[in-house]
Amino acid sequence: MKAIFGLGNPDKSYDKTRHNAGFMSLNNYIDEKEFKKKDNYLIAEKFINGEKVLFVKPLTYMNNSGEAVKNVINYYNIKINDILVIYDDMDFDVGKFKIKASGSSGGHNGIKSIIKYLGTEDFKRIRIGISKSSYDVVDYVLGKFSKEDMNKLKEVFNTINDVIDDFVSLPFEKLMSKYN
């Protein structure tokens, strides 16, 4: 079994904000209506190439994402090697993404929280570009995407759908080589 976590903030006022790129990516792959509330997260299940995959959106808000991630891993007995975290990243332009096998938080509070709760930086991730800004970081990441940026993101999300399908069956090194 594998688990894919999309990071974001659960309140409706955060819909389509830059910080919710992880939620948006999961919603592009699996219908939002399929997610059910459990504990401190929303969860949906799907079989991909015969393997059960959990799609999870933490309800703990970005800064405490690790709490929900840890709860899912413990409850379903999932190995850290079998998780994938999708989140926004200011280091890449909108329309770009990067797959990584591990690394620091890069200042991202959701990733900091996951590292804290899991006790490791060694978990797989997809960083979705939201571009840099001269605005206050908090205001910027909680701001909404422009129409032009949303069009670029739709293409990214469609490619990430393919990444998700391949995540189940390809060795991670091959997955990175194929999409990075």
Side-chain angles (χ1 to χ4, degrees), residues 9-17 20 23-24 32 144:
N9 288 306
D11 190 289
K12 284 285 182 204
S13 64
Y14 297 108
D15 280 355
K16 295 191 172 83
T17 61
N20 274 32
F23 277 14
M24 294 163 66
E32 193 170 359
K144 299 211 184 259

Side-chain angles (χ1 to χ4, degrees), residues 106-125:
H108 192 285
N109 288 332
I111 299 301
K112 276 183 197 173
S113 176
I114 294 171
I115 291 169
K116 174 185 159 193
Y117 276 88
L118 298 184
T120 184
E121 295 179 343
D122 295 330
F123 55 90
K124 299 169 179 93
R125 42 193 106 172

